[in-house]
Amino acid sequence: LSPYWYEVNAQGEVSRATGATDENLAEIRALAQGAGVKVIPMIKNWADRDEMHSLLSNPSLRRQVIASIVEITVNRAFPGIHIDFEGINGDDRPHLTAFMNELAAELRPRGKLVTQAVAARDQERNDGWAGAYDYNALGAANDLILLMAYGYGTGIPRSTAPFPWVDRSTALAVSQIPREKLLLGIPWYGYEWVDGKVSRALRYPQAVSLAQERGVGINYDTGVEGANFTFWEGGQKHEVWFEDRRSQEAKLDLVEKYGLA
């Protein structure tokens, strides 16, 4: 279980995320312990792009962040840590890899797990949202890799995780990351577009309730394995794409297909 409890800014300062109070941490840890589940806190970056370049390319700042992460992990007796750094320039790929290698060198001798989320891609690239992740190198640095197989794009109404793309992205990842280290990330959300422009994110219950309120049926696109519906309101076209049981079962089948962790 990786709750979003910590974040790092461009100055290399690691702090509690909003809502991560002592009471929150204690309650979640107690629930997880009762279920026999390890709690590996997530650390996200507030800075992105150029600010992350300044952080990741600076060995001194990297050491500062890593020292804070080690202190949190050891002093709070967490089994490990989960790094979720996103929005990084492709040119910073070697710097991100260096950070993870240096973090692993500090945590692994202490018996701690090193895990990381990486953006999905279905072809090799050094640019865009997924360009900064060196799958081969990060697969070696980490004990577990979470492939974020969602966030395909909101430019037009469509699934956030179209199955053909998820399948191709998983195949590429497993060709470079040991399959016993690879986890498949799946989305539990979708989006509503108004006249072709994304309006808001929706969870499954919200999407179903909206279809019921507007009295429209829910369609299913077997080509992309995604649920969707359309309605008109105030002269505007509303289109919703979201994930349901069928779409998730299709993605979960990939865990077996590729023998993932």
Side-chain angles (χ1 to χ4, degrees):
L1 180 66
S2 293
Y4 172 25
W5 279 348
Y6 298 96
E7 56 199 22
V8 61
N9 63 19
Q11 290 71 49
E13 299 164 333
V14 179
S15 60
R16 289 270 191 95
T18 302
T21 62
D22 286 339
E23 293 79 9
N24 174 277
L25 270 65
E27 181 180 7
I28 296 300
R29 293 191 77 170
L31 288 168
Q33 185 176 7
V37 173
K38 293 179 180 179
V39 175
I40 302 175
M42 178 190 299
I43 298 181
K44 295 176 71 72
N45 57 310
W46 265 106
D48 64 3
R49 301 298 180 187
D50 293 341
E51 290 181 323
M52 281 302 287
H53 169 75
S54 299
L55 171 63
L56 292 173
S57 63
N58 186 323
S60 177
L61 282 180
R62 291 203 306 263
R63 287 193 296 270
Q64 175 183 320
V65 174
I66 288 169
S68 297
I69 293 174
V70 170
E71 181 181 8
I72 289 169
T73 309
V74 173
N75 289 353
R76 288 189 167 268
F78 291 122
I81 206 73
H82 183 61
I83 303 298
D84 185 9
F85 289 175
E86 303 181 40
I88 301 172
N89 289 321
D91 291 343
D92 287 320
R93 175 186 282 221
H95 301 311
L96 177 61
T97 297
F99 175 87
M100 293 307 302
N101 281 326
E102 292 161 6
L103 178 64
E106 293 294 330
L107 285 181
R108 197 164 287 120
R110 292 173 166 85
K112 304 297 184 181
L113 289 170
V114 182
T115 75
Q116 183 180 10
V118 303
R121 60 174 181 262
D122 61 355
Q123 59 184 320
E124 284 304 329
R125 58 187 306 165
N126 294 313
D127 60 353
W129 196 258
Y133 305 98
D134 184 333
Y135 284 177
N136 266 310
L138 296 178
N142 283 277
D143 297 297
L144 288 171
I145 294 277
L146 171 67
L147 184 68
M148 296 184 286
Y150 44 81
Y152 187 67
T154 58
I156 60 173
R158 59 187 173 187
S159 167
T160 191
F163 183 80
W165 173 76
V166 175
D167 192 0
R168 294 193 304 270
S169 297
T170 306
L172 177 66
V174 84
S175 73
Q176 300 179 34
I177 299 169
R179 64 185 71 241
E180 64 272 13
K181 289 186 175 185
L182 190 61
L183 305 171
L184 179 64
I186 59 176
W188 291 102
Y189 67 94
Y191 290 102
E192 178 182 8
W193 285 260
V194 179
D195 285 344
K197 295 182 179 179
V198 69
S199 172
R200 58 172 173 161
L202 295 173
R203 299 178 187 273
Y204 171 81
Q206 293 174 299
V208 173
S209 294
L210 181 61
Q212 292 173 342
E213 291 168 5
R214 298 300 183 270
V216 296
I218 295 174
N219 305 311
Y220 190 77
D221 186 327
T222 56
V224 299
E225 302 286 358
N228 62 90
F229 61 89
T230 302
F231 64 92
W232 289 82
E233 186 174 79
Q236 293 180 306
K237 183 181 180 181
H238 294 245
E239 190 168 350
V240 175
W241 283 82
F242 66 105
E243 301 294 309
D244 67 1
R245 175 175 178 167
R246 294 166 292 182
S247 65
Q248 300 296 30
E249 285 180 341
K251 295 176 182 67
L252 290 174
D253 283 344
L254 295 176
V255 176
E256 299 297 328
K257 175 180 177 179
Y258 293 104
L260 307 182

